[in-house]
């Protein structure tokens, strides 16, 4: 009830953006996790072609984050959000309507471009509208995003009982509704006239050494957060011998987020510095990979339900620690980003930050995947079994060390000036 009261305390624009993120993640995760299976099994494409289709989507999104951020600064975040959702509606509809490679590549490009547009734009609008309550706004944003990431795959698995096209059309329908809702309800804001070129904006942001150091320090956080979809579900399945165990990782995160996210942010906001809590959160994220080491490399099937439950516990404890670390650090990370530069470049800073984190997540996932393959080649009871978990532990500790160093040098923003929103 306290969370509901907190939501009602925000202006309509922020409430709409929270619902928007729930819809965005629901629509995304009911389709994308099943796309590779559809391309390979239903359409008979080779693994190489499947990789190209999926890679084009990732490249389109990660490579254009900076464009989306600059567009939010110069054209207004509202219009960019609406355009992004409309483009993703078209992209997901193409997945349903086309089976040929050119159509599928176009769908992948459009869905990636859409994400590159509305991801930095949504965060820009949220930061500007929330003012001094940025931390709480981003905390609620995480709750809605996590909920959507759970609901999406569940809805997608149900729709696949019909066929993949039903999932794609449903996802496109969700984004179409979001587009209409934002066009009708999201308030328009005046955009201050730009004082220089786009490239000068980019040079200013890239030349901010403190910001770049902070973005690089957060590489570990985003790499570890992505293990909620790679290493931890694989560890849960391997430990228990049950494919459904992976769903428990997501379910635990959703329950924990709804129950604790806002409370954690509210308690920590006025106690200590942002750098301290970001470092604490990334340490927790790293330590989350220690308990699963207890059951790493377990290949023998569990002896009954009790044994499976006992094997699942270390992985679930690790998942809970990882979620707690994200809940501790991420709202303050999002809160600090606008404070590194001018308010007029908020979108540019978010765009660069997400471009860096996107590349980091891709490289980090590749490294963890390599470590997982090395663990399988090592066989039972080898030290290689611990390699992927140890890599993640090291990533969390290194990220925390980087933030701590920046905090001690006084390189992190101390206060965030409240943004003044002017109604058009």
């Amino acid at each position: 009830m306290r969370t509901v009261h907190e939501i009602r305390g925000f202006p309509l624009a922020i409430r709409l953006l929270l619902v928007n993120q729930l819809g965005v993640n629901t629509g995304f995760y009911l389709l994308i996790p099943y796309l590779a299976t559809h391309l390979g099994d239903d359409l008979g494409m080779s693994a190489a072609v499947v990789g190209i289709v999926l890679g084009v989507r990732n490249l389109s999104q990660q490579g254009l984050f900076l464009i989306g951020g600059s567009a939010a600064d110069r054209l207004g975040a509202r219009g960019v959000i609406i355009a992004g959702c409309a483009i993703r509606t078209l992209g997901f509809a193409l997945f349903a309507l086309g089976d040929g490679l050119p159509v599928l590549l176009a769908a992948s490009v459009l869905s990636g471009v859409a994400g590159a547009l509305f991801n930095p734009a949504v965060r820009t609008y949220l930061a500007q509208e929330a003012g001094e309550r940025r931390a709480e706004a981003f905390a609620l944003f995480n709750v809605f995003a996590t909920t959507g990431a759970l609901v999406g795959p569940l809805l997608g698995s149900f729709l696949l009982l019909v066929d993949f096209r039903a999932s794609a059309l449903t996802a496109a329908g969700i984004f179409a509704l979001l587009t209409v809702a934002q066009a009708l309800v999201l308030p328009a804001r005046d955009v201050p006239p730009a004082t220089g070129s786009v490239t000068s904006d980019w040079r200013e942001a890239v030349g901010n050494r403190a910001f770049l150091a902070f973005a690089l320090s957060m590489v570990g956080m985003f790499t570890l957060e992505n293990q909620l979809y790679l290493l931890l579900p694989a560890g849960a399945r391997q430990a228990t011998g049950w494919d459904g165990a992976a769903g428990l990782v997501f379910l635990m995160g959703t329950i924990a987020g709804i129950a604790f996210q806002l409370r954690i942010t509210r308690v920590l906001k006025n106690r200590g510095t942002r750098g301290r809590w970001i470092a604490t959160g990334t340490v927790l994220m790293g330590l989350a990979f220690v308990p699963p080491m207890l059951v790493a490399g377990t290949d023998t099937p569990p002896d009954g339900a009790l044994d499976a439950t006992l094997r699942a516990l270390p992985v679930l404890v690790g998942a809970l620690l990882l979620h707690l670390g994200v809940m501790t650090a991420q709202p303050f990370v999002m809160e600090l980003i606008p404070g590194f530069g001018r308010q007029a470049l908020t979108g540019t800073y978010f765009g660069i930050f997400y471009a860096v984190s996107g590349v980091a997540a891709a490289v980090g996932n590749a490294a963890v995947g390599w470590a997982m393959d090395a663990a399988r080649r090592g066989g039972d009871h080898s030290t290689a079994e611990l390699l992927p978990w140890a890599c993640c532990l090291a990533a969390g500790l290194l990220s925390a060390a980087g933030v701590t160093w920046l905090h001690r040098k006084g390189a992190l923003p101390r206060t965030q000036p409240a943004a003044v929103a002017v109604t058009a």
Side-chain angles (χ1 to χ4, degrees), residues 27 61 91 93 127 129 140 151 173 182 206 216 256 326 330 349 356 359 381 385 405 410:
Q61 180 162 316
E129 194 75 17
L140 288 170
V151 173
Q182 291 156 359
V206 173
L216 291 173
V326 172
Q330 196 172 76
Y349 276 88
V356 171
V359 173
H381 309 299
E385 297 170 1
W405 179 74

Side-chain angles (χ1 to χ4, degrees), residues 134-421:
R134 283 179 185 154
E136 292 92 335
F138 280 112
L140 288 170
F141 193 80
N142 282 354
V143 173
F144 278 76
T146 303
T147 304
L150 173 68
V151 173
L154 295 176
L155 180 58
S157 62
F158 173 76
L159 290 170
L160 283 176
L161 297 176
V162 181
D163 61 15
F164 177 82
R165 284 178 172 79
S167 294
L169 289 175
T170 301
I174 290 173
F175 278 95
L177 289 174
L178 292 175
T179 303
V180 173
Q182 291 156 359
L184 293 177
V185 181
L186 196 63
R189 303 300 186 204
D190 283 337
V191 181
T195 57
S197 66
V198 172
T199 54
S200 67
D201 291 346
W202 294 351
R203 285 195 298 269
E204 179 180 336
V206 173
N208 189 327
R209 294 182 180 180
F211 168 69
L212 283 185
F214 180 70
L216 291 173
S217 295
M218 289 295 97
V219 163
M221 185 185 80
F222 282 96
T223 299
L224 298 189
E225 189 177 3
N226 270 264
Q227 302 320 306
L228 289 168
Y229 309 101
L230 178 63
L231 183 56
L232 282 170
R237 287 191 293 265
Q238 184 179 30
T240 63
W242 176 45
D243 287 341
L248 297 177
V249 173
F250 302 111
L251 179 61
M252 175 170 290
T254 303
I255 294 174
I258 294 173
F260 301 117
Q261 174 67 88
L262 197 56
R263 296 179 183 179
I264 289 173
T265 302
R266 189 184 295 116
V267 168
L268 299 183
K269 181 179 178 180
N270 297 317
R271 300 182 182 181
T273 62
R274 301 297 188 261
R276 172 186 175 185
W277 297 125
I278 294 171
T280 300
T282 50
V283 167
L284 282 174
M285 293 176 71
L287 293 177
F289 296 88
V290 174
M293 290 184 185
L294 299 174
V295 292
T298 302
D299 290 327
T300 57
D303 185 16
L306 179 60
D307 188 31
T309 301
L310 292 175
R311 292 186 183 187
L313 283 177
V315 181
L316 294 180
V317 169
L320 179 59
L321 282 175
L322 183 56
H323 283 294
L324 289 174
V326 172
M327 286 188 282
T328 299
Q330 196 172 76
F332 297 124
V333 172
M334 296 295 104
E335 182 191 21
L336 281 187
I337 291 171
F340 279 101
R342 295 184 287 121
Q343 181 183 326
L345 295 186
T346 297
T348 300
Y349 276 88
F350 272 115
I352 292 175
F353 186 83
Y354 272 91
V356 171
S357 66
V359 173
V363 174
N365 277 347
V368 172
W370 173 86
M372 292 170 68
D373 289 338
R376 296 188 188 102
R377 292 193 298 268
D380 289 342
H381 309 299
S382 70
T383 55
E385 297 170 1
L386 307 180
L387 183 59
W389 309 96
C391 287
C392 290
L393 170 62
L397 297 180
L398 287 173
S399 185
V403 174
T404 301
W405 179 74
L406 289 172
H407 170 61
R408 290 179 177 175
K409 284 180 63 69
L412 300 180
R414 294 184 182 275
T415 59
Q416 283 66 51
V420 179

Side-chain angles (χ1 to χ4, degrees), residues 66-78 80-81 117 120-122 124-125 128 191 344 346-348:
L66 185 53
I67 302 297
S70 293
D73 288 336
R74 290 177 170 262
L75 304 177
R78 176 183 180 272
V80 178
I81 293 169
L117 289 176
V122 166
T124 299
Y125 199 115
Q128 293 174 343
V191 181
T346 297
T348 300

